[in-house]
Amino acid sequence: MNSQFTNVFQQVASRKMSRSKSYTSTISQAPNVNDQGPLLTSRENATRENWWWSYKQMLRDPSAEFAGTMLLTIFGLGVNCQAVLSSNTRVSSPKGDWTSVTLGWGAAIALGVWVSGGISGGHINPAVTLAMATWRKFPWKKVPAYIFAQLMGALVGAAIVYANYFHALDVFEGGKGIRTLKTAGLFSTFAADYITNVSAFFSEFLATAILVFVILAVTDRGNAHTPAGLLPLALFITFIGIAAGLGMDTGFAINPARDLGPRLLTSMVGYGKAVYTFRHQYWVWCPIIAPFLGAQFGALLYDTFLYNGDDGLFSKFSSSNSLVSAV
């Protein structure tokens, strides 16, 4: 009798425990309630937590170009200002020369590409962006956003450098708020007195063609392809070579954004229209149009004689011809 009573009691207890576990499990698995009240569904929660995600994806590439170009401008213009302004004994003892300028600009392009390369490709130069769209299937729809971001990055970078050095500029210029072409060249580029506009155009055309030619070479898997993490080092060497060997005539703009962004800044802070009227609109032909054309010419040369990739312009033509002949 006792054993039968014990068995019945155990069966009833086990049924109650299973019901309790089932109820507890149901409550714990419910997506919208807990002991503190209603909860959001997982999709609603993800939407609330990641509302910025979709916007960030749309802005990520242009933001990388903005940041990379801003760093390029900060370090490049910064070394210009430090080397030149410190030559005035009322400002400081000398803190740089042409060697430091070439090294500073080399570091500037390397850091700019290191920051942006893995996200946007690290163009940080409208001439490079246009060349990549023309010769490497870079999406044309991205070109306007890239160029605008690069221009704004250069403008903001120039503003940061100006804010850092404006007291030294006052001393160098000889008075508070005085701004002349004597220091405008620290921000945007101007041809040397001895060189004609035609020669200045050729200098910028040549330097940019070499820059793009090397970029295509070091990113070509059929050539001496450089690992992505070491590409900035290759550009560091390239930029030092251009600055040291070809930079004296015009100040090696070779980047329309790097010149126009700071030029806009100078016209805002007191340099006036002189930065645009210099040599009859020099600013349009030499630091803007010449780099665009030079970049196209450098890419044309590389693809014509060296590039065998499937995405090359001439490679596509040869492929279509092969197909036609095969048919």
Side-chain angles (χ1 to χ4, degrees):
M1 178 66 71
N2 290 337
S3 62
Q4 292 179 354
F5 179 80
T6 302
N7 291 336
V8 171
F9 178 81
Q10 289 177 346
Q11 290 176 4
V12 172
S14 64
R15 288 175 183 174
K16 288 184 177 180
M17 290 180 64
S18 64
R19 289 176 182 175
S20 176
K21 288 181 179 179
S22 177
Y23 177 75
T24 303
S25 176
T26 302
I27 293 295
S28 64
Q29 293 175 6
N32 58 348
V33 295
N34 66 3
D35 57 350
Q36 295 179 345
L39 292 174
L40 295 172
T41 64
S42 59
R43 178 172 294 181
E44 290 172 340
N45 194 43
T47 303
R48 288 283 184 88
E49 290 179 354
N50 298 312
W51 66 271
W52 174 243
W53 179 261
S54 59
Y55 295 102
K56 183 172 71 172
Q57 302 319 300
M58 290 188 294
L59 296 172
R60 193 165 182 249
D61 284 359
S63 296
E65 288 297 308
F66 175 92
T69 313
M70 183 179 67
L71 283 178
L72 167 73
T73 309
I74 288 174
F75 286 103
L77 301 187
V79 73
N80 285 354
C81 288
Q82 181 165 296
V84 173
L85 297 178
S86 66
S87 66
N88 188 316
T89 56
R90 292 180 299 156
V91 174
S92 172
S93 59
K95 296 292 190 300
D97 54 18
W98 190 250
T99 300
S100 62
V101 169
T102 60
L103 291 173
W105 276 102
I109 192 172
L111 291 171
V113 174
W114 254 315
V115 165
S116 59
I119 298 172
S120 64
H123 297 181
I124 62 174
N125 184 337
V128 172
T129 297
L130 198 61
M132 291 301 174
T134 305
W135 300 93
R136 286 297 179 273
K137 294 185 177 180
F138 180 76
W140 281 99
K141 65 181 181 180
K142 290 186 176 184
V143 170
Y146 266 52
I147 292 179
F148 180 76
Q150 291 156 359
L151 181 60
M152 291 299 101
L155 175 61
V156 171
I160 291 171
V161 173
Y162 182 82
N164 190 61
Y165 282 106
F166 79 93
H167 291 301
L169 288 166
D170 287 341
V171 174
F172 192 91
E173 289 276 20
K176 186 175 181 179
I178 297 175
R179 297 292 182 264
T180 67
L181 291 182
K182 186 166 61 172
T183 57
L186 302 178
F187 296 91
S188 49
T189 60
F190 298 86
D193 292 339
Y194 63 83
I195 192 172
T196 64
N197 285 351
V198 173
S199 294
F201 182 96
F202 175 75
S203 181
E204 289 292 332
F205 180 95
L206 173 64
T208 314
I210 292 172
L211 174 66
V212 172
F213 191 89
V214 172
I215 289 173
L216 295 180
V218 298
T219 56
D220 181 3
R221 294 187 180 278
N223 199 340
H225 180 253
T226 304
L230 295 180
L231 177 60
L233 180 60
L235 294 177
F236 170 79
I237 297 171
T238 304
F239 223 71
I240 288 177
I242 291 173
L246 302 172
M248 182 177 71
D249 288 344
T250 61
F252 59 98
I254 61 176
N255 183 334
R258 167 262 176 274
D259 186 88
L260 181 57
R263 197 178 296 269
L264 291 171
L265 184 277
T266 55
S267 64
M268 296 175 187
V269 296
Y271 288 88
K273 63 180 182 180
V275 296
Y276 302 109
T277 57
F278 175 80
R279 288 197 182 185
H280 308 291
Q281 282 69 49
Y282 168 92
W283 68 278
V284 174
W285 292 100
C286 292
I288 295 180
I289 295 179
F292 275 124
L293 295 179
Q296 296 295 324
F297 184 73
L300 172 64
L301 280 181
Y302 190 82
D303 273 29
T304 301
F305 297 105
L306 300 179
Y307 190 59
N308 277 338
D310 293 336
D311 58 341
L313 186 62
F314 296 113
S315 299
K316 288 190 296 183
F317 290 159
S318 62
S319 298
S320 62
N321 289 339
S322 299
L323 290 173
V324 170
S325 61
V327 173

